[in-house]
Amino acid sequence: MKASFPYPPMPQNVGEQVITPSAAFKKEVVNVAGAIAFFAVVYVALMAAAILLAVLCGYAGVMLVLLKPAFFTLMLGLGLAGLGLMVLFFLLKFSFKRSKTDRSGMVEFHEAEQPELFAFIRNITQETQTPFPKRIYLSPEVNAAVFYDSSFWSMFLPVKKNLVIGLGLVNSVNITEFKAILAHEFGHFSQRSMKLGSYVYNVNKAIYNMLYDNEGYGKTLEKWSNISGYFALFAGLTVKIVQGIQWVLQKAYVVVNKPYMSLSRQMEFHADSVAAFVTGSEPLITSLRRIEAADICYSQLFNHYNSWFNENLKADNMYPQHDALMHRFSHDFNIPMAHGLLQVNAQSLAIFSQSRIIIKDQWASHPSTDDRKAHLLLLNIPAVMMHDPAWVLFRDVEQVQQQMTAKVYEKAEFASAPQFLTLAGFTQKIDAEIDERSFDKAYKGFYDDRVLNAFDLEKAQAQASALPDFQFNDLLADTNCQLPEKITCLERDMEMVKSLQKGMYDVKTFDFDGQKYSTKEAATVQQVLESELKEAQEQLAQLDQKVFQFFVQQASSESEKVALASAYQQLFAATTEAEEDTVLYQRLFETLQPVFNSEMTMESAEAIMTEVTEQEGVVKERLHELLQELLYTRCLTAEQQNKLETYTQHQAAYFTQEGFDNDALSALTEALSIFVSTAWEKCFRLKKEMLTLQIGFLQTQDVKAAMNEKVSV
């Protein structure tokens, strides 16, 4: 029977050696199996030692009481026994912990609802010779994945895998690419090494429980120690022994997980081979880059939704809106569209990651997109590309999209009945916001997302008349406009090199500009970057001054020159103030950090809050000044202004004998966030007004030139 949906054909005459696990794959399987066996030996040894300790402590406790029956020997005996039992319980407590896969963001679909999709998936499982998924779920994001319910028994018994398909992914690929992506996931179905994943999962769950999930255990120890001073002594000894066990477990975690991450990367390559075997090399290559771009747009989509939440706006259907953002992405970054989809390559996304430093991350679970592409090109399996959207496999597409959109908002609590945001409303709102947050296109992004450093305005203005006339297009040539981004990339690479020198990356070598360096040579690379950064910063500073001087030359009157210099001066002053306000914010927030990150004694909490009160006095004084300033208050909503005024007028007790007041702390952090973000919003608005003012000089000149030309005619 002919399929009622388009189905990309399987490449012909491709040998099955393509999907035979490689030698590297098999080697990593052996390494992981050895690592798991190592952990088993370590854990058995720890358990044997704990049991022996418990027996010895119990025996010693009993003998102590028998040798000298008395209250204090009884308490010491009970303390010894408790120590042994608490250490033993520490090593066993993970087995009482139950975990379940969170499926709250997923919707399960059945064959009766989506017969074409299920038939399509069944065809792929037949071609890949893998079992059909136990369950099929749809989720909102740009992703597809295999998962299964891992438990103790899944290490020994066969477990059927589930498939989850992200509708954001469906929104981003054609049907051939969709087949390739699902075939990749079924490539994981076929990997017996996934059984090792179950072992590693359970090992990690045990280690995590013993390293980090100790709140209940800690409270039990505390209660025990509070019963008597005798028990407090043994509780302290228990903590020391547990810390020793945790040190051993941290080392064991590295031994188990490093080889497993390496195996995971080999599993990805093998799954890619399975995808190429049934679809060809090209579809997975073309989809890999586009998925990255689609995911960027998906994140942007939710940033917009979150920012509109307080306006009681709720998307009626997020997927056409996601598509609209991908079209805007195409326009903004000059990425071509074909068949309604982004045509993305490595160069297209270079703007988002221009690092010249490459570190082979031993803890990465996936190979880089470049490495996956190279692997697929090496296979060189031809493909027949069908450009139908993946949505053709779904029935009642709009209903499915709306159902998933409703799922996304399921836990959202609006202040009042939300207003549905249609595609037209979404586009209109996006256009308005982008227009509000953008500078004139004539600047070619030169001033975007950066601080304009101050320079001597009087000196620059005095020199302007003596300088030769500048040409605007020469000043903002592409090379010059790329200077801010170049500086950002150099600063980012500098931070990475400094991290390498501090040993923050578990690597011995790295690549810089295509050449391999040892981490000991990182200082040499840092010198190169520092020199380039200094030169680029000097070039940008000179260019900023030249642009100012160009517009001084364009000013048609002295009053325009004064207005321009005043606009620059206001911006420079506001930037300096914002930087100082940011220091106040960071200092106070750093003082607060221990409150959110760890438990502490009453004395420590009181000391921290005393320092907080002292520092926030300075912040409140500064806020009181700002709230009298029109340039600042115009950047606040009525709600934000009310919150800041309430904060400055009231002194909250963040900590009492009963503990921390979480509501007061939340109000504090919110006020601090508004305080510093508004300082920078003020800078943005002043910069936009300044840029609008000076570009107006050009438009005035154009109008005058046109009028003169008309008079001459």
Side-chain angles (χ1 to χ4, degrees):
M1 181 179 175
K2 188 177 179 181
S4 59
F5 50 85
Y7 189 79
M10 183 175 176
Q12 299 299 307
N13 304 317
V14 180
E16 291 201 1
Q17 71 275 7
V18 168
I19 57 174
T20 302
S22 65
F25 185 103
K26 294 175 182 176
K27 178 184 174 183
E28 297 300 343
V29 169
V30 172
N31 289 342
V32 172
I36 292 170
F38 167 78
F39 175 78
V41 170
V42 169
Y43 182 74
V44 168
L46 288 171
M47 276 298 298
I51 292 170
L52 179 61
L53 177 67
V55 170
L56 289 175
C57 285
Y59 178 76
V62 171
M63 293 303 296
L64 188 64
V65 174
L66 291 176
L67 284 171
K68 190 173 179 61
F71 175 77
F72 81 93
T73 56
L74 175 65
M75 297 301 287
L76 289 174
L78 290 173
L80 274 169
L83 183 152
L85 291 173
M86 287 303 292
V87 171
L88 185 61
F89 175 65
F90 176 78
L91 285 167
L92 289 170
K93 68 186 179 70
F94 75 88
S95 61
F96 301 102
K97 187 81 173 179
R98 295 287 175 263
S99 60
K100 199 172 182 180
T101 302
D102 181 14
R103 305 183 193 188
S104 59
M106 305 178 192
V107 177
E108 184 179 0
F109 273 71
H110 302 91
E111 189 160 10
E113 300 166 288
Q114 297 293 341
E116 288 79 15
L117 176 63
F118 274 68
F120 184 83
I121 292 171
R122 187 167 284 107
N123 284 356
I124 300 174
T125 60
Q126 290 168 357
E127 290 181 354
T128 56
Q129 301 175 36
T130 54
F132 194 81
K134 178 183 179 183
R135 298 179 187 275
I136 296 176
Y137 295 89
L138 299 181
S139 70
E141 63 268 4
V142 184
N143 191 25
V146 173
F147 75 95
Y148 55 94
D149 299 312
S150 185
S151 65
F152 176 79
W153 296 109
S154 66
M155 295 191 289
F156 309 103
L157 301 176
V159 179
K160 293 196 74 175
K161 286 86 175 177
N162 304 307
L163 174 68
V164 57
I165 301 169
L167 293 188
L169 171 71
V170 177
N171 209 39
S172 314
V173 296
N174 64 38
I175 196 168
T176 310
E177 293 165 336
F178 187 55
K179 178 187 175 184
I181 292 163
L182 293 188
H184 170 94
E185 297 306 325
F186 292 130
H188 289 308
F189 274 50
S190 68
Q191 293 168 350
R192 292 182 180 178
S193 53
M194 282 195 78
K195 177 67 70 177
L196 289 173
S198 180
Y199 283 95
V200 173
Y201 171 82
N202 282 284
V203 165
N204 283 341
K205 189 168 73 170
I207 292 175
Y208 179 87
N209 178 271
M210 289 183 278
L211 287 179
Y212 306 111
D213 193 4
N214 292 308
E215 185 178 352
Y217 182 77
K219 287 180 179 178
T220 302
L221 270 180
E222 187 178 358
K223 288 178 181 177
W224 179 42
S225 67
N226 288 338
I227 294 173
S228 166
Y230 293 100
F231 293 164
L233 169 67
F234 292 103
L237 288 173
T238 303
V239 169
K240 295 297 182 184
I241 294 170
V242 163
Q243 287 174 344
I245 294 172
Q246 288 177 323
W247 182 87
V248 172
L249 291 172
Q250 286 171 339
K251 303 299 179 184
Y253 177 86
V254 174
V255 171
V256 172
N257 282 275
K258 255 193 183 178
Y260 182 66
M261 290 299 103
S262 186
L263 173 60
S264 295
R265 295 192 291 273
Q266 289 298 326
M267 289 167 68
E268 291 300 320
F269 283 131
H270 179 255
D272 283 351
S273 297
V274 172
F277 181 69
V278 301
T279 317
S281 296
E282 184 187 359
L284 199 54
I285 292 172
T286 57
S287 63
L288 283 173
R289 295 289 184 194
R290 191 182 314 118
I291 289 170
E292 291 180 46
D295 199 40
I296 291 170
C297 295
Y298 184 81
S299 296
Q300 290 175 347
L301 184 71
F302 275 83
N303 288 339
H304 290 302
Y305 289 162
N306 289 333
S307 68
W308 299 335
F309 180 78
N310 290 334
E311 299 177 44
N312 276 346
L313 291 175
K314 175 181 179 181
D316 66 339
N317 186 339
M318 59 190 279
Y319 294 100
Q321 296 173 15
H322 179 223
D323 189 60
L325 283 186
M326 288 191 282
H327 278 76
R328 180 173 285 280
F329 190 89
S330 164
H331 175 268
D332 291 345
F333 297 103
N334 297 315
I335 299 172
M337 300 282 293
H339 310 287
L341 298 173
L342 289 163
Q343 304 303 299
V344 186
N345 55 34
Q347 290 69 40
S348 305
L349 298 178
I351 188 172
F352 298 100
S353 178
Q354 298 182 25
S355 177
R356 293 152 64 190
I357 298 173
I358 298 175
I359 298 173
K360 295 292 184 182
D361 186 0
Q362 299 176 73
W363 293 96
S365 60
H366 284 60
S368 69
T369 302
D370 287 337
D371 288 344
R372 292 178 69 181
K373 178 181 176 181
H375 170 72
L376 289 162
L377 287 174
L378 191 64
L379 295 177
N380 194 30
I381 300 174
V384 176
M385 189 72 80
M386 300 174 70
H387 296 287
D388 306 71
W391 286 115
V392 299
L393 299 169
F394 289 77
R395 289 190 178 183
D396 303 318
V397 170
E398 187 174 358
Q399 182 181 337
V400 171
Q401 293 175 341
Q402 289 174 340
Q403 182 179 354
M404 189 56 68
T405 303
K407 187 74 175 174
V408 165
Y409 283 98
E410 194 171 50
K411 295 181 180 179
E413 295 182 4
F414 291 91
S416 59
Q419 177 183 347
F420 281 101
L421 191 65
T422 63
L423 177 59
F426 173 83
T427 305
Q428 185 179 8
K429 197 163 179 62
I430 288 288
D431 288 343
E433 286 192 359
I434 288 176
D435 183 62
E436 183 184 346
R437 306 302 300 177
S438 301
F439 304 132
D440 195 290
K441 289 179 181 167
Y443 292 116
K444 302 179 184 177
F446 178 63
Y447 290 102
D448 291 356
D449 303 318
R450 72 178 179 95
V451 171
L452 189 64
N453 292 319
F455 52 84
D456 190 329
L457 288 164
E458 288 186 14
K459 183 178 177 181
Q461 188 168 345
Q463 293 173 341
S465 57
L467 293 171
D469 289 346
F470 298 110
Q471 295 297 315
F472 187 67
N473 288 336
D474 291 339
L475 286 174
L476 294 188
D478 289 345
T479 305
N480 288 342
C481 287
Q482 290 164 6
L483 265 176
E485 182 61 30
K486 179 181 179 180
I487 290 171
T488 299
C489 292
L490 285 167
E491 289 173 337
R492 192 184 303 132
D493 284 349
M494 281 275 292
E495 289 303 312
M496 193 177 293
V497 167
K498 289 177 182 177
S499 298
L500 283 165
Q501 289 178 281
K502 293 175 182 176
M504 294 174 69
Y505 290 94
D506 187 16
V507 296
K508 294 180 180 179
T509 63
F510 64 98
D511 290 351
F512 174 67
D513 285 347
Q515 185 176 341
K516 191 171 289 295
Y517 291 82
S518 72
T519 50
K520 294 178 181 179
E521 297 173 296
T524 304
V525 174
Q526 182 178 340
Q527 290 176 353
V528 173
L529 292 171
E530 283 176 345
S531 175
E532 292 182 16
L533 179 59
K534 183 180 178 182
E535 182 182 353
Q537 288 172 333
E538 288 173 352
Q539 289 175 353
L540 183 60
Q542 292 171 6
L543 187 57
D544 283 338
Q545 187 166 312
K546 284 181 181 178
V547 173
F548 168 74
Q549 290 170 326
F550 166 78
F551 283 106
V552 169
Q553 291 175 347
Q554 303 307 306
S556 59
S557 66
E558 194 62 33
S559 62
E560 284 189 345
K561 292 179 183 179
V562 171
L564 180 62
S566 176
Y568 267 85
Q569 187 59 53
Q570 272 194 312
L571 174 59
F572 291 162
T575 302
T576 300
E577 290 174 358
E579 288 170 342
E580 292 170 351
D581 291 341
T582 301
V583 170
L584 292 177
Y585 163 80
Q586 289 174 336
R587 187 183 301 153
L588 182 48
F589 206 82
E590 285 169 8
T591 304
L592 273 172
Q593 276 306 107
V595 173
F596 304 113
N597 293 340
S598 61
E599 295 183 4
M600 60 185 65
T601 62
M602 181 79 71
E603 292 77 13
S604 297
E606 288 175 346
I608 287 173
M609 298 322 297
T610 298
E611 192 173 349
V612 166
T613 303
E614 182 181 334
Q615 290 177 3
E616 80 164 343
V618 180
V619 172
K620 285 185 174 182
E621 187 177 337
R622 172 65 180 148
L623 262 174
H624 183 73
E625 294 173 9
L626 290 172
L627 289 171
Q628 312 304 313
E629 183 188 305
L630 179 60
L631 288 175
Y632 186 86
T633 55
R634 68 172 181 165
C635 302
L636 293 166
T637 64
E639 183 183 7
Q640 288 175 327
Q641 184 162 350
N642 181 57
K643 285 181 178 179
L644 289 184
E645 288 173 348
T646 302
Y647 169 69
T648 56
Q649 292 166 8
H650 295 86
Q651 181 61 53
Y654 302 115
F655 183 75
T656 65
Q657 292 297 319
E658 296 178 358
F660 288 105
D661 184 335
N662 291 327
D663 290 337
L665 285 171
S666 178
L668 168 62
T669 55
E670 185 179 13
L672 289 175
S673 177
I674 296 170
F675 160 60
V676 75
S677 62
T678 306
W680 288 107
E681 175 64 19
K682 172 184 165 184
C683 294
F684 170 81
R685 295 196 186 188
L686 287 172
K687 182 161 71 168
K688 183 165 185 176
E689 288 165 5
M690 179 270 289
L691 294 175
T692 302
L693 171 68
Q694 65 182 19
I695 207 70
F697 294 177
L698 284 184
Q699 294 164 357
T700 302
Q701 294 291 338
D702 291 341
V703 170
K704 287 181 178 179
M707 290 177 67
N708 290 336
E709 185 177 337
K710 187 174 181 181
V711 170
S712 300
V713 173

